[in-house]
Amino acid sequence: MIADKIKLKIRGIVGEGNVLDSELDRFVYSYDSSFVPLLPANNPELVVRPLTTEEVSRVMAVACEEGIPVTPRGAASGRTGGSVPLQGGISLALDRMTQIVELDEKNMMVTAEAGVRTFDLYNHCAARGLFYPPDPASWKFSTIGGNVAENAGGMRAVKYGVTSDYVMGLEVVLADGAILQTGGKAIKNVTGYDLKGLFTGSEGTLGIITRALLRLIPMPKRRGTLQIMFGALDEGCATVYQLLQAGILPAAAEIMDRFCLEAVARRQRTDLAENTGACLIIEIDGEDDGDISTQTKRIETHARDCGATSFQAAGSAEESDGLWAIRRGLSSAVAALAPDRIGEDISVPRDAFPEVVRRIGIIAEKYGLAIAVYGHAGDGNLHPSILCDLGNPEEAKKVHQAVDEIFAAALALGGTLSGEHGIGITKRPYIAQALGETGLKTMKAIKQALDPKGILNPGKIWRGNEIHAQDR
Amino acid sequence: MIADKIKLKIRGIVGEGNVLDSELDRFVYSYDSSFVPLLPANNPELVVRPLTTEEVSRVMAVACEEGIPVTPRGAASGRTGGSVPLQGGISLALDRMTQIVELDEKNMMVTAEAGVRTFDLYNHCAARGLFYPPDPASWKFSTIGGNVAENAGGMRAVKYGVTSDYVMGLEVVLADGAILQTGGKAIKNVTGYDLKGLFTGSEGTLGIITRALLRLIPMPKRRGTLQIMFGALDEGCATVYQLLQAGILPAAAEIMDRFCLEAVARRQRTDLAENTGACLIIEIDGEDDGDISTQTKRIETHARDCGATSFQAAGSAEESDGLWAIRRGLSSAVAALAPDRIGEDISVPRDAFPEVVRRIGIIAEKYGLAIAVYGHAGDGNLHPSILCDLGNPEEAKKVHQAVDEIFAAALALGGTLSGEHGIGITKRPYIAQALGETGLKTMKAIKQALDPKGILNPGKIWRGNEIHAQDR
C-alpha cells in the first residue's frame, strides 16, 4: 500500500489532476490489448501521468525510496501484457509526453517524447520528405516509447528493419530516478557499451524511456502494390526467398493461407477461386516509375517461376487499396469466426517458414482447432491465430496445449518466441526454454544490476522477476 | 603470479604447445597496433591459444577460480590498446579458432569462429554470391572476433552499416566459463534483452566472443568509382549531404583535405592542381550498368551544383584502381611525413563534419602541428592524423594537448570519442566526459554484474576497471 503522505508527495510532483486513484481509473489502467485476464490484483494503486522527464525522475526517486512497483504505459496496445501492473503500485502513463522535440532535417533525425503516437511521428516527418519506416499494426495509436520498449516490428521490416534499427539515442529514467542520456547524432559510435540497444526491447524492466532520437531516411518517391495468388503457401514462400536471394527487397511481403482468404471472401462477399491456396501481397518502392516497373517485371518472373496462378499490379492508388483489401480486412474477418482469437507471434529462420506452417496445421488437426496463418513472409515472422471459445474450459485447455506446441515447433526450427510482441506476461512460461539457463541468468544479472529493488515493471519477461516483499 | 600447478592445469586443457611463456613470446603478446607504450608490465604471464569453445570455457573457469586477468586477442590490429594485457595474466589468443562453421545460403547467414580473418570470410561468402559488407581498414588481417568485440566500421558503413548491423547471434564464454548462446537465425527476435548487441563492442570486458552468426546480403552485381575534386572541403561535404538527402546511397564516400592530397602527390610524383582543396572518392554499386550510369549522372549533377572542379568516373576495373590510388596511398604517404603519426578516430553528426574540420585546423595552428584530415564523409567519422615526433618531449606534450582539444571539439558538436576504434586504453581519460556520470555508472553496473571479479580485459574503457588485488 502506498501511504497517504507518499501519494501527497507524488501529487506535488505531477499536479493534483495527474494522479488518478478512483476505482474506475484503476480498473481502466489494469489491462492492455493482450489476453491477460482482468484481475483486481492488476489494478494499480495509483495512476501517475507526468509531463516531463524531470517529473518522471522525481516520481521514480520516490518509488525507489519507498520500494513501490512502477509499470510504464504508453497506449496499452501491447499484445503480451507489458503494461499490466502485475504488482499494483504505480501505473506510469506517459501519454502526456507528446512533444516532437526536434526534426533535424540536415542529419535526418527526429527527437520525440515517449508519448508521441507512431503515426503522428510518421506524418510529421513525411511532410518534410523524411521516412520513419517502422509500422507496427498498432501504429495509429501506439506510442514511440512503447515501440522502443517492445522493439516493435511491422510489415516494412523485411526491407527497412525494426524499431531498434532506427534508435540512435535514448533518454531513460533509471530505477533510482537518475536520467541517462545515451547515444546521439554521431552515426558511428563505439564509445562504451551499446546501452540504447540494451534498453530497446527491455519491456520497461530496466528503465523508463522518456525520449528517443530516431534516424530517418528519404521518403521513397514511388510505390507499387502487387497481389499474387498461388495454389499452395509453399509457392508463395518460395517466391519471397527467390526475390531476397536475387537482391530484390520488397517494402512488405505479406502472406495468407486459404483459411484466411476464405474468411475474408465470406465477409467481403467476394469469390475465391477453387485452386487458390495462398495470397502474397507485395509492396515495392523506388525512385521513379521505371524503377517500379523494373521491379514489378522481375517479381512477376520469379512468381510465375514458383507457380503463381494470378498476378495483379496496381495501376493507381485506388487499385492499390483494392489489392491490399484482403490483408487489411483479414484481422476482423478472422476474428468474426469465433468468440475468441488468440493471435500468436512466432519468428523462425526464413527458410523454415513453410515447415512451421505445416507443423501448425498438424497441431490444429490434433486438437481439432481452427488456426488461421498469416504473416510477414520476408522475415519469417508469422501470426498463427487460434479461433476458439475460451469460455469453454475444455477448449481453453486445448488452446493452451496448442500454443505450447506452436512455441515448441518454432524453437525446434531455430526460431524464437516472439518476433515483435515481446514476452511480457503471456510468454513467460516459455522463456527459459527459449534462452537457455545461461541466457536467462545473464539477463537476470543485468536486471539486478540496473534495478536492484526490482521496482521496474515487476513480474515481466520471466517468472520470479517480481519485487521482493521485504523491499516494500 | 600464476602458480605452477595452475599453469599445468591450463596446459592440460589446451595442450603443451599452445601455452607460451618464454620472455620473447610474452613480449610479442604485449602490444597491438596502437600507440600504447611498450612496457614490461604489459607482458602477459602466459599466452594461451585454445582451439575450441570448450577449451576457452575451461580456461575461463580456471581463471575465474584463481582470479587471473584474461585479455582476449584476435589479430592485435586494434588502434586503442584493446588486446594489450594491462594487468599481465593470460593473453587469450583466439587465432587458432579459424573455422567457418556454416554458410547457410538459403537464410543468407554465415557462422564463423572468432579467429577467422574478415577478408577470408568475405571471400568465402563472395564465392557464393553473398556479401559481408563490414570492411575495417585492417580487414585483411583482423578477425571476426575482434571486429565484433570492437564493433568495427569501415568505408562501406555509409551504405551498409557497421559490424553490429550484421550480428544475428553470438556464442560468448562468460567470466565464469559458462557458454552463452544468444540470438539466432530468426530475423525478428524480441525474446528478452538484446545480449548480442551488448556484447558487440564491449571490447572483451564482458565475455570472450568465440563464434558469430552473421547476416549476409546478395553481392551487388556492378560497381562504379568516381573521383571528384573541389576547391574546398566544405563543398565535398555538401555534395555528400545532398546525395544522402536525395536518397542516393554511395557504397563509400571518402574525403581528403589538401594536406593529404599534397602528401600523396609528392609520394606518387603526380601533379596537384593549384585550386584543389579536397578530393572525394565515391564508390557506387547496383544491379546493372544502367543503374550505375543513372547514379553516376545524378551524383555528377549534385557535385557540380556544389562546386566540383573535376569529375571522373572509372570505365574499367583498372581505371577504378587508378581513381582509388589517392585514398589507398594516403596512409603511407602521410605517415612518411614525420617520425610519428597519431591517427585519431572521432565521429560527429553528419552536418558537423565541416565545422569539426575547421576546429581541427585552428587546433593545428595553435600548437604549430601538422594535422592531416580524411575520413568517411558519409557518416561523419573522421581520422585526423597528427604528424609529429613523440621522441621530442616538448612536442609530445603539445600533441596530447591537441588530442584533448580534438576530442573536446567532437563532443561539443554532439559527436563522440570513437567512431570505429573503441576506447581501449588510449581514450579512457575522456570516457567520463563523453558518457556523463549516469552513463558511466550504468556501464560499470553491467560490468560488475557480468564479471564480478573483474578478470575480463581489466583496465579497459574506463580507469578503475582493473582487477581488485584482493581477488587475485
Side-chain angles (χ1 to χ4, degrees):
Chain A
M1 288 291 289
I2 305 176
D4 283 345
K5 64 168 192 182
I6 303 302
K7 289 186 183 176
L8 204 66
K9 209 185 248 183
I10 292 170
R11 283 181 214 276
I13 296 168
V14 298
E16 184 73 32
N18 299 307
V19 176
L20 315 176
D21 62 356
S22 74
E23 207 168 328
L24 181 61
D25 283 324
R26 293 171 53 223
F27 171 70
V28 165
Y29 284 79
S30 74
Y31 59 88
D32 67 357
S33 305
S34 67
F35 281 86
V36 173
L38 297 172
L39 295 174
N42 295 347
N43 288 4
E45 286 181 67
L46 220 56
V47 177
V48 180
R49 301 175 65 223
L51 184 66
T52 64
T53 302
E54 180 63 31
E55 288 180 8
V56 174
S57 163
R58 291 173 62 199
V59 170
M60 285 309 303
V62 172
C64 186
E65 177 78 26
E66 303 295 328
I68 302 166
V70 177
T71 301
R73 177 180 159 117
S77 53
R79 307 285 294 167
T80 55
S83 63
V84 174
L86 263 193
Q87 293 200 288
I90 292 171
S91 170
L92 193 71
L94 298 158
D95 57 335
R96 290 176 66 224
M97 297 184 67
T98 57
Q99 294 295 311
I100 296 178
V101 180
E102 184 202 42
L103 177 58
D104 178 347
E105 293 184 58
K106 279 191 97 172
N107 286 304
M108 293 194 277
M109 291 183 198
V110 64
T111 305
E113 288 186 335
V116 173
R117 273 172 223 272
T118 311
F119 192 60
D120 292 344
L121 184 93
Y122 170 86
N123 284 325
H124 186 88
C125 300
R128 310 297 302 183
L130 292 168
F131 183 28
Y132 177 68
D135 60 342
S138 58
W139 74 324
K140 291 212 174 154
F141 37 95
S142 67
T143 60
I144 287 298
N147 283 190
V148 173
E150 300 287 327
N151 193 10
M155 296 205 291
R156 293 197 270 251
V158 54
K159 179 165 185 174
Y160 293 108
V162 296
T163 304
S164 58
D165 295 309
Y166 292 86
V167 176
M168 295 294 300
L170 291 178
E171 179 184 81
V172 183
V173 177
L174 302 178
D176 64 358
I179 300 170
L180 171 72
Q181 306 284 351
T182 184
K185 288 185 184 174
I187 293 167
K188 279 181 176 167
N189 185 347
V190 293
T191 302
Y193 307 150
D194 181 14
L195 296 183
K196 66 182 166 45
L198 180 63
F199 286 100
T200 302
S202 65
E203 305 193 21
T205 63
L206 299 179
I208 312 288
I209 293 159
T210 47
R211 200 176 266 209
L213 171 68
L214 304 162
R215 188 170 74 84
L216 305 169
I217 57 179
M219 185 66 79
K221 295 187 185 58
R222 292 284 182 280
R223 292 185 193 281
T225 305
L226 313 174
Q227 188 196 78
I228 318 173
M229 298 293 181
F230 296 91
L233 195 84
D234 286 21
E235 296 168 354
C237 291
T239 303
V240 176
Y241 312 142
Q242 277 203 15
L243 297 179
L244 297 171
Q245 299 270 352
I248 306 167
L249 269 178
E254 297 292 298
I255 201 158
M256 289 145 275
D257 69 2
R258 182 164 176 100
F259 185 97
C260 294
L261 297 174
E262 277 173 355
V264 176
R266 208 169 309 144
R267 198 168 169 93
Q268 298 183 346
R269 294 168 196 236
T270 51
D271 287 328
L272 181 64
E274 199 54 52
N275 65 345
T276 299
C279 172
L280 180 65
I281 311 269
I282 286 184
E283 180 98 7
I284 49 179
D285 56 23
E287 274 305 297
D288 50 40
D289 293 337
D291 192 355
I292 297 296
S293 113
T294 308
Q295 289 187 59
T296 301
K297 275 180 212 142
R298 295 181 68 200
I299 293 171
E300 178 162 13
T301 304
H302 287 288
R304 299 279 184 204
D305 186 45
C306 293
T309 53
S310 93
F311 183 96
Q312 283 185 270
S316 65
E318 294 71 47
E319 277 182 42
S320 166
D321 283 345
L323 298 186
W324 267 109
I326 295 181
R327 176 65 179 87
R328 296 230 172 86
L330 181 59
S331 191
S332 54
V334 166
L337 297 176
D340 295 301
R341 181 185 57 150
I342 301 289
E344 267 314 330
D345 161 51
I346 55 172
S347 191
V348 294
R350 222 178 246 153
D351 74 335
F353 199 102
E355 177 58 19
V356 82
V357 170
R358 206 183 58 79
R359 295 196 189 182
I360 291 169
I362 294 170
I363 294 165
E365 207 165 316
K366 174 172 168 188
Y367 292 103
L369 292 167
I371 307 184
V373 174
Y374 61 97
H376 316 303
D379 46 36
N381 181 202
L382 69 162
H383 300 306
S385 281
I386 308 180
L387 301 163
C388 54
D389 179 0
L390 292 178
N392 173 343
E394 278 288 289
E395 190 157 304
K397 203 179 147 192
K398 278 193 210 168
V399 168
H400 288 302
Q401 286 171 330
V403 168
D404 285 3
E405 292 190 22
I406 290 172
F407 287 146
L411 295 176
L413 291 167
T416 184
L417 288 184
S418 177
E420 49 187 20
H421 292 174
I423 302 302
I425 301 167
T426 60
K427 299 192 179 191
R428 285 186 311 175
Y430 312 96
I431 189 82
Q433 195 186 344
L435 296 178
E437 194 192 331
T438 304
L440 191 53
K441 203 174 144 194
T442 304
M443 291 188 194
K444 286 180 179 176
I446 293 168
K447 166 73 175 175
Q448 173 69 26
L450 299 192
D451 179 21
K453 288 189 170 182
I455 59 171
L456 282 166
N457 209 358
K460 304 300 166 65
I461 308 184
W462 58 84
R463 282 188 203 281
N465 196 5
E466 290 83 20
I467 191 168
H468 314 304
Q470 71 271 21
D471 285 330
R472 291 205 67 180
Chain B
M1 287 290 290
I2 305 177
D4 284 345
K5 63 168 192 181
I6 302 304
K7 289 186 183 176
L8 204 65
K9 208 185 249 183
I10 292 170
R11 282 180 214 277
I13 296 168
V14 297
E16 184 72 32
N18 298 308
V19 177
L20 315 176
D21 62 356
S22 75
E23 207 169 328
L24 181 61
D25 283 323
R26 293 171 52 222
F27 171 70
V28 166
Y29 284 80
S30 74
Y31 59 87
D32 69 357
S33 305
S34 66
F35 280 86
V36 173
L38 297 172
L39 295 174
N42 294 347
N43 288 5
E45 285 181 68
L46 221 55
V47 177
V48 181
R49 301 176 65 224
L51 185 65
T52 64
T53 301
E54 179 63 31
E55 289 180 7
V56 174
S57 164
R58 291 173 63 200
V59 170
M60 284 310 302
V62 171
C64 187
E65 176 79 25
E66 304 295 328
I68 302 166
V70 176
T71 301
R73 179 181 158 116
S77 54
R79 308 284 295 166
T80 54
S83 63
V84 173
L86 263 194
Q87 293 200 288
I90 292 171
S91 170
L92 193 72
L94 299 158
D95 57 336
R96 290 176 66 225
M97 297 185 68
T98 57
Q99 294 294 312
I100 295 178
V101 180
E102 184 201 41
L103 177 58
D104 177 347
E105 293 184 57
K106 280 190 96 173
N107 286 304
M108 294 194 276
M109 291 183 197
V110 64
T111 306
E113 289 186 335
V116 173
R117 273 171 223 274
T118 311
F119 192 60
D120 292 346
L121 183 93
Y122 169 86
N123 284 324
H124 185 88
C125 301
R128 311 296 304 183
L130 292 168
F131 183 27
Y132 177 68
D135 60 341
S138 58
W139 74 324
K140 291 211 173 153
F141 36 95
S142 66
T143 60
I144 287 299
N147 283 190
V148 174
E150 301 287 328
N151 192 10
M155 296 203 292
R156 292 197 272 251
V158 55
K159 179 166 185 173
Y160 293 109
V162 297
T163 303
S164 59
D165 294 308
Y166 292 86
V167 176
M168 295 295 300
L170 291 177
E171 180 184 79
V172 182
V173 177
L174 302 178
D176 63 358
I179 300 170
L180 171 72
Q181 307 284 352
T182 184
K185 288 184 184 175
I187 293 165
K188 278 181 177 168
N189 186 347
V190 291
T191 302
Y193 306 150
D194 181 14
L195 296 183
K196 65 180 167 46
L198 181 63
F199 286 101
T200 302
S202 65
E203 305 193 20
T205 63
L206 299 179
I208 312 287
I209 293 158
T210 48
R211 200 176 267 210
L213 171 69
L214 304 163
R215 189 170 72 84
L216 305 169
I217 57 178
M219 184 66 80
K221 295 188 184 59
R222 292 284 181 280
R223 291 184 193 282
T225 304
L226 314 173
Q227 189 196 77
I228 319 173
M229 298 294 182
F230 297 90
L233 195 83
D234 285 20
E235 296 168 353
C237 291
T239 303
V240 176
Y241 311 142
Q242 277 204 15
L243 296 179
L244 297 171
Q245 299 270 353
I248 307 167
L249 270 178
E254 297 291 298
I255 200 159
M256 290 145 274
D257 69 0
R258 183 165 175 100
F259 186 98
C260 294
L261 297 174
E262 277 174 354
V264 176
R266 208 169 308 142
R267 197 166 167 94
Q268 298 182 347
R269 294 167 197 238
T270 51
D271 288 328
L272 181 66
E274 199 55 52
N275 67 343
T276 299
C279 171
L280 180 64
I281 312 269
I282 286 185
E283 181 99 6
I284 49 179
D285 56 23
E287 273 306 296
D288 51 40
D289 293 337
D291 192 356
I292 297 295
S293 113
T294 307
Q295 288 187 58
T296 301
K297 275 179 215 143
R298 295 182 68 200
I299 294 172
E300 178 161 10
T301 304
H302 287 289
R304 298 280 185 204
D305 186 45
C306 293
T309 53
S310 93
F311 183 96
Q312 282 185 272
S316 65
E318 294 73 48
E319 278 182 41
S320 166
D321 284 345
L323 298 186
W324 267 109
I326 294 180
R327 176 65 180 85
R328 295 229 173 86
L330 181 60
S331 191
S332 54
V334 166
L337 297 176
D340 295 301
R341 180 186 57 149
I342 302 291
E344 266 315 330
D345 162 50
I346 56 172
S347 192
V348 294
R350 223 177 245 153
D351 73 336
F353 200 102
E355 177 59 18
V356 81
V357 170
R358 206 183 58 79
R359 293 196 189 182
I360 291 168
I362 294 170
I363 295 165
E365 206 165 316
K366 173 174 169 187
Y367 292 103
L369 291 167
I371 307 184
V373 175
Y374 61 97
H376 316 302
D379 46 36
N381 181 203
L382 70 162
H383 301 304
S385 282
I386 307 181
L387 301 162
C388 54
D389 178 1
L390 293 178
N392 173 343
E394 278 287 288
E395 191 157 302
K397 201 178 147 194
K398 278 192 211 169
V399 168
H400 288 302
Q401 287 170 329
V403 168
D404 286 1
E405 292 189 20
I406 289 172
F407 288 145
L411 295 176
L413 291 167
T416 183
L417 288 183
S418 177
E420 50 188 19
H421 293 174
I423 302 302
I425 301 167
T426 60
K427 298 192 180 189
R428 285 186 310 177
Y430 312 96
I431 190 81
Q433 196 185 345
L435 297 178
E437 195 192 331
T438 305
L440 190 53
K441 204 174 144 195
T442 304
M443 291 188 194
K444 286 180 179 176
I446 293 168
K447 166 73 174 175
Q448 173 70 24
L450 299 191
D451 179 21
K453 288 188 169 182
I455 60 172
L456 281 166
N457 208 359
K460 303 301 165 65
I461 307 184
W462 57 83
R463 282 187 204 281
N465 196 5
E466 291 82 19
I467 191 167
H468 314 304
Q470 70 273 22
D471 285 328
R472 290 206 64 180

